[in-house]
């Protein structure tokens, strides 16, 4: 979420000359790259009039602050509406981010009148979403899929249908090739697929994180937002030392201040959310109520436990132990990644925008740029959270194993039963179970 116009700006105006010099050098070295038209000032007229007496620096600060509060309020509303609404919002954000990146490619090269470029781009987006969401529905809502005959057929042949859809788009692209523009058309083909990899694949991981429990969705996103805000605040008031040339306004003071603030915020937010089943329970389909539910018995990860304090902290606080949720320990890793590695998503976006001489991906949000400007770090964070859950949190799921067993033929179920019975008897567990019964 970060370049010259978003909340990740971490620095002072002292770097203005350095930024201008860097821009001049890039203009010379990248003179062969077509420029995207610069968007006009998109600040609402009401804010322009209300803040007309302020300098441009403070006016920009207030515009960002007001719009940030509005976006945070909207975030609270969609959390209240539940996980299914959150999933739809993620899908909408994904489509808008894809649109912004594709439109940059079209704006740069539209004079060549490439046939079917936008049509094929949206077609590939549809194909990839069909594949990923189909996989998600089959994986997490197996009972619902097996109950409905049309869904069972689509699930059984899902990957073949997905491949056939993609193959159709591939053939359409080959048929659209025009003499003298082959290289450019393959550039655009690669542009579309890289966009799909960055945007669609990682938004799919966000959905996976959400189904593990809303806390795995809310805490990482909130940590990135907190880091952006606090890094901007520390950089705005205390920033003196430049951090990276790609974003000259970002400073070490903002980076360090954002790190410590985000770690503290992550621990506190995790403590509050871990006590509510609405946030910690995975999303499941309930056959009895015929609806999606988020109710369960919280795992040990979300139950208070005693942790011994190091001697140094014992001497300072006078406490020997402290009660924490185990998830709070994991939140430190999430917060640290959001503060240290997350900004590299913004640096990547900064380099991309500099390559095409644009300030923002779009002008959707006044003072912030486009939706992609707000989510460039979130996608990198989503990948980390998904890998973290798979590596350190998720274990075998008995309910999913049973669902898969019930989908087998009766003779296959009987074979598995006999194999399991023999295994338990060999381990000496089955007689104990029979005596208990």
């Amino acid at each position: 979420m970060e370049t010259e116009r978003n909340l990740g700006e971490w620095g002072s105006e002292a770097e203005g000359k350095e930024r201008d010099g860097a821009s001049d050098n890039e203009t010379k070295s990248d003179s062969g790259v077509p420029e995207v038209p610069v968007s006009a000032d998109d600040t609402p007229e009401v804010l322009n009039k209300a803040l007309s007496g302020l300098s441009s620096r403070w006016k920009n600060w207030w515009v960002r602050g007001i719009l940030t509060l509005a976006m945070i309020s909207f975030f609270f509303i969609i959390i209240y509406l539940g996980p299914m609404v959150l999933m739809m919002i993620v899908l909408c954000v994904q489509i808008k981010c894809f649109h912004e990146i594709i439109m940059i490619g079209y704006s740069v090269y539209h004079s060549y009148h490439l046939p079917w470029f936008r049509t094929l781009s949206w077609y590939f987006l549809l194909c990839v979403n069909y594949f990923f969401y189909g996989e998600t529905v089959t994986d997490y809502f197996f009972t619902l899929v097996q109950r409905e005959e049309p869904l069972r057929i689509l699930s059984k042949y899902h990957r073949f249908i997905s491949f056939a859809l993609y193959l159709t788009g591939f053939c359409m692209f080959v048929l659209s090739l025009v003499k003298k523009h082959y290289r450019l058309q393959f550039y655009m083909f690669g542009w579309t697929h890289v966009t799909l990899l960055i945007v669609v694949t990682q938004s799919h991981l966000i959905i996976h994180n959400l189904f593990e429990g809303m806390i795995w969705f809310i805490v990482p996103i909130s940590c990135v937002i907190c880091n952006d805000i606090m890094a901007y605040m520390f950089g705005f008031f205390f920033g003196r030392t430049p951090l990276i040339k790609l974003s000259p306004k970002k400073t070490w003071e903002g980076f360090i201040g954002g790190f410590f603030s985000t770690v503290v915020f992550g621990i506190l937010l995790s403590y509050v959310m871990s006590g509510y089943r609405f946030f910690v329970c995975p999303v499941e389909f309930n056959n009895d109520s015929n609806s999606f539910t988020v109710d369960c018995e919280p795992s040990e990860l979300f139950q208070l436990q005693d942790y011994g304090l190091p001697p140094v902290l014992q001497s300072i606080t006078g406490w020997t132990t402290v009660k924490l949720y185990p998830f709070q320990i994991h939140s430190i890793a999430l917060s640290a990644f959001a503060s240290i590695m997350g900004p590299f998503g913004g640096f990547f976006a900064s380099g991309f925008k500099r390559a095409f001489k644009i300030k923002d991906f779009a002008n959707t949000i006044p003072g912030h740029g486009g939706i992609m400007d707000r989510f460039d770090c979130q996608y990198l964070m989503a990948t980390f959270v998904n890998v973290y859950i798979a590596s350190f949190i998720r274990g075998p799921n008995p309910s999913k194993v049973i669902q898969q067993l019930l989908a087998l033929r009766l003779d296959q179920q009987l074979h598995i039963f006999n194999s399991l019975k023999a295994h338990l008897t060999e381990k000496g567990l089955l007689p104990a179970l029979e005596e208990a019964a």
Side-chain angles (χ1 to χ4, degrees):
M1 296 188 173
E2 10 270 18
T3 57
E4 278 77 28
R5 282 189 64 182
N6 54 26
L7 282 177
E9 294 180 42
W10 299 342
S12 63
E13 293 179 321
E15 275 66 52
K17 293 182 180 179
E18 180 183 342
R19 182 187 64 221
D20 294 339
S23 299
D24 292 340
N25 292 335
E26 288 178 11
T27 302
K28 294 177 183 178
S29 60
D30 294 342
S31 58
V33 179
E35 293 189 30
V36 178
V38 179
S39 57
D41 182 17
D42 55 344
T43 306
E45 189 62 28
V46 175
L47 288 179
N48 275 328
K49 290 182 179 180
L51 304 174
S52 58
L54 300 176
S55 66
S56 59
R57 183 170 184 252
W58 282 100
K59 177 183 175 181
N60 202 29
W61 192 90
W62 277 104
V63 169
R64 291 177 192 161
I66 293 170
L67 270 296
T68 297
L69 291 177
M71 288 188 288
I72 291 175
S73 301
F74 177 71
F75 186 52
F76 284 142
I77 293 172
I78 61 175
I79 289 173
Y80 173 77
L81 293 175
M84 302 312 294
V85 175
L86 276 173
M87 185 180 73
M88 297 307 299
I89 294 296
V90 170
L91 178 61
C92 293
V93 168
Q94 173 218 110
I95 293 173
K96 187 63 176 82
C97 290
F98 181 84
H99 171 259
E100 290 177 359
I101 299 178
I102 288 298
M103 286 307 297
I104 291 175
Y106 184 74
S107 298
V108 170
Y109 298 110
H110 73 281
S111 59
Y112 290 95
H113 303 291
L114 297 178
W116 297 4
F117 168 55
R118 282 191 294 183
T119 302
L120 284 174
S121 296
W122 288 103
Y123 178 80
F124 282 126
L125 176 66
L126 177 66
C127 292
V128 175
N129 270 313
Y130 175 80
F131 171 73
F132 280 132
Y133 278 88
E135 293 281 313
T136 299
V137 170
T138 302
D139 188 28
Y140 284 92
F141 308 118
F142 185 82
T143 304
L144 174 63
V145 170
Q146 292 300 311
R147 197 178 66 181
E148 303 292 337
E149 182 64 24
L151 290 179
R152 185 158 61 246
I153 295 173
L154 288 175
S155 174
K156 183 177 181 180
Y157 302 106
H158 172 69
R159 295 194 177 186
F160 180 80
I161 295 172
S162 300
F163 177 72
L165 288 172
Y166 178 83
L167 196 61
T168 301
F170 178 81
C171 293
M172 290 170 63
F173 167 74
V174 173
L175 293 174
S176 72
L177 292 173
V178 178
K179 191 176 181 180
K180 296 183 180 179
H181 298 309
Y182 292 152
R183 180 179 297 180
L184 182 57
Q185 287 181 282
F186 278 101
Y187 283 160
M188 293 298 95
F189 184 78
W191 182 292
T192 299
H193 282 67
V194 170
T195 304
L196 291 171
L197 176 65
I198 294 174
V199 176
V200 182
T201 304
Q202 300 194 60
S203 65
H204 170 70
L205 297 181
I206 293 178
I207 299 296
H208 267 248
N209 300 340
L210 176 61
F211 283 142
E212 294 292 331
M214 290 179 63
I215 195 169
W216 291 105
F217 172 87
I218 297 172
V219 169
I221 284 182
S222 299
C223 284
V224 172
I225 294 173
C226 174
N227 183 65
D228 282 344
I229 294 174
M230 297 310 298
Y232 171 73
M233 297 292 288
F234 274 92
F236 187 87
F237 291 107
F238 308 110
R240 294 293 182 273
T241 313
L243 176 65
I244 187 170
K245 289 184 178 180
L246 275 174
S247 295
K249 284 189 175 182
K250 294 180 174 63
T251 63
W252 276 104
E253 291 80 2
F255 182 83
I256 296 171
F259 171 78
F260 287 106
S261 301
T262 304
V263 171
V264 173
F265 171 80
I267 293 173
L268 295 177
L269 179 63
S270 298
Y271 181 82
V272 173
M273 295 185 66
S274 294
Y276 295 90
R277 294 187 180 187
F278 178 73
F279 295 122
V280 304
C281 290
V283 181
E284 296 179 343
F285 182 79
N286 190 311
N287 280 316
D288 298 330
S289 62
N290 201 32
S291 62
F292 297 101
T293 61
V294 283
D295 188 27
C296 67
E297 187 64 33
S299 66
E300 292 183 358
L301 198 62
F302 305 106
Q303 296 179 13
L304 283 171
Q305 298 182 18
D306 290 324
Y307 290 91
L309 291 177
V312 177
L313 292 180
Q314 289 183 22
S315 61
I316 297 174
T317 62
W319 303 337
T320 56
T321 61
V322 62
K323 284 187 175 295
L324 293 173
Y325 292 101
F327 182 79
Q328 289 180 270
I329 309 299
H330 294 289
S331 74
I332 297 175
L334 301 180
S335 302
F337 185 89
S339 303
I340 298 173
M341 300 305 299
F344 279 85
F347 301 154
F348 178 85
S350 294
F352 179 88
K353 288 183 280 188
R354 281 176 174 268
F356 291 95
K357 303 177 178 64
I358 56 175
K359 193 173 186 180
D360 299 301
F361 284 96
N363 58 354
T364 309
I365 309 171
H368 292 270
I371 299 296
M372 189 64 197
D373 291 285
R374 298 286 82 229
F375 281 86
D376 47 14
C377 288
Q378 297 289 5
Y379 286 129
L380 191 61
M381 187 73 191
T383 304
F384 172 74
V385 173
N386 190 267
V387 171
Y388 190 89
I389 292 174
S391 302
F392 304 109
I393 304 299
R394 186 190 296 131
N397 190 328
S399 63
K400 287 186 178 180
V401 174
I402 293 174
Q403 290 172 358
Q404 293 171 348
L405 287 175
L406 294 177
L408 299 175
R409 298 193 311 269
L410 292 178
D411 61 316
Q412 293 174 322
Q413 294 180 24
L414 184 61
H415 175 72
I416 292 175
F417 170 76
N418 291 327
S419 299
L420 183 60
K421 181 180 178 181
H423 174 73
L424 293 176
T425 302
E426 181 182 347
K427 295 293 183 180
L429 296 175
L430 192 58
L433 292 174
E434 290 175 347
E435 290 176 7

